[in-house]
Every structure is written in C-alpha cells, then in structure tokens.
Amino acid sequence: MRRGRLLYAGRLVTERPRLEQRFPRPSVMGVVNVTPDSFSDGGVHYRTEAAVAAAWAMHADGAAIVDVGGESTRPGAEGVSLDEELRRVVPVLEAVAGALPVSIDTAKAEVARRALELGAEFVNDVSALRGDPTLAGVVAESGAYICLLHMQGEPRTMQVDPRYGDVVAEVKAFLEQRLAFAVAEGIREERVCLDPGIGFGKTVEHNLELVRRLDELAALGRPIVIGFSRKRSLGRLLGDPEATTGPLSASIAAAVTAYERGATILRVHDVKEHVEALTFARAVTA
Ligand code: HH2
C-alpha cells in the first residue's frame, strides 16, 4: 500500500485531511431526512427521488456535506429496525454518496458500514458510540469522520423533564469522555467533531446556555457542530409554548450566533439561506 493511502471496502481511499481542514469554519451540513415522521419537514424527503433531488439542491446551494438519515430522533420518536433504516437510506446513498459529500446520520454499525462502502465520508452518531458496540470499529477501520453528540436520556423520553446542575459543564465532561472513548477505539482524534445536542434532553434555557458558553466546549480542541435549525426551542422562545418547530429567521440567527461563538459545522434544513447569512458573518469576523 502506498504511503498516505488506506484501503477500505476493496478501494484505495486517499488519506483524509483533518476534519477542520476538510470542513473550515463555517461549513453547512444540509439535512436530508428519509423519514415519514421527522419533526422538521413532515416527510417531504421520504421518497427516494425527493431525497436525492434535495441532496443535489443542497449541494448546489453551498452545503459542504449532506446528512442522510433514515431514523427520526425527534422527541417521542420510536426507533426503526435495521432493515427499515437500510430500506430508506440505501437507494438515496446509491444515488448520491461518492458523487457529492455525504454524511450518514445513524447509530447503527451496519447502516454506517453500508453508507461508507457506498462513498459516504462522515458518520453522524447521536448516540456518541453508546448505541452499537461495533460502530466505533467500523468508523476506525474506514477512516471516516465522526460527530459525537450529547443526549440526556433517549429520544422517546428525553424532553420529559431534562435537568442539569451546570448544563455546559456536564455536556463538556460527557463530550470529553466520549472523545477519549473514540480515540481508545482507534478513531483518530483529528477526524472527530463534537455536538452539544440542541434539543436532545434540554429545555429552551439549556439550549441557550450551551450557545452562550460555546467557547467552553470549543476549548476541548475539536470542531463543534450545532443543529438549532427549525427546533422547537425557537418556536417556544418566540412565544408559543406548544411549538414543535421554529421558523427560518430564528434558525439563521441561532446559526450565526453559534458560529460567532466558535461553531464550525452548522446542521441546517434551509441551506441557501444559511450559506448566505454565514457568508456575511464570516466576511465580518474573518
Ligand atoms: N438533530 C437532529 C438529528 N440529528 N445530528 C447532529 N449532529 N446534531 C443535531 O442537532 C441533530 C442531529 C434532529 O433534527 P432532524 O434531523 O431535523 O429531525 P428528526 O430527528 O426528527 O429526523
């Protein structure tokens, strides 16, 4: 094998740059939920053709990567079976992975393995390697990038009554521990990014505090991912106590604010508008 290259799934894969080189600040991750029940889009990308078209459109609009997922993690969601998750995402991955930059949003090793074989380069794991004991090995072997996300509880119950002493200190300690676990499992630290998990077992105030003190999480030395797009905290902050989503305007403000406090990757549904807003923010701060 030539120096600087590695073999995965029978193919030579050029060694990847550090995550922060591959995804400079700010980079936009476009969300493609191949689900009938996601909180944010009501299933508009559930059909393969719709998901593929959305992925290409997000790429054209400036997304650095598109995040394809087949299982909703919205509050109250039940998990889906391996077969069902594969049935949803594989046709989409066959059409786009390798042709444009793709992340797979999964906690299942088998889904990640199939996605990486098809050309995905990034695993977005909301379980932070706590869900499937074989996922870390799949990521390590493939050399993929990975996002580790903080969640209190599990999607079915996480929004029932989330509590913390100091939310930032607890999320930081968790992410530091999961980063150490990933590295101990053979994943290179330079391929890992961290996500405080906006809305994953957090109140509105917890989510705001995490963005307010994002510099403390950035001090862990790894790029930070923020996914505030369309989340219910935005709608609730704006005065609807029953909101299950939030508007685009507040989503953009959240992304720009997070970027200014150190976020690297912004995970969003409305790529064009976020790319435009972040281009301005970057021009001012760069
Ligand atoms: N949020 C959701 C799903 N995956 N991944 C990361 N890294 N960060 C996030 O904040 C995040 C995530 C939930 O949003 P969405 O995918 O739009 O909804 P659903 O889980 O209902 O499909």
Side-chain angles (χ1 to χ4, degrees), residues 31 33 35 37-40 67 71-74 105 124 126 147 149 195 197-198 200 225-227 231 267 269:
V31 181
N33 290 318
T35 53
D37 57 345
S38 289
F39 84 95
S40 53
D67 190 33
E71 178 177 56
S72 173
T73 50
R74 75 181 192 287
D105 188 350
N124 179 25
V126 300
C147 177
L149 175 140
D195 187 329
I198 300 300
F200 285 84
V225 180
I226 290 288
K231 287 204 173 148
R267 183 180 183 277
H269 303 82

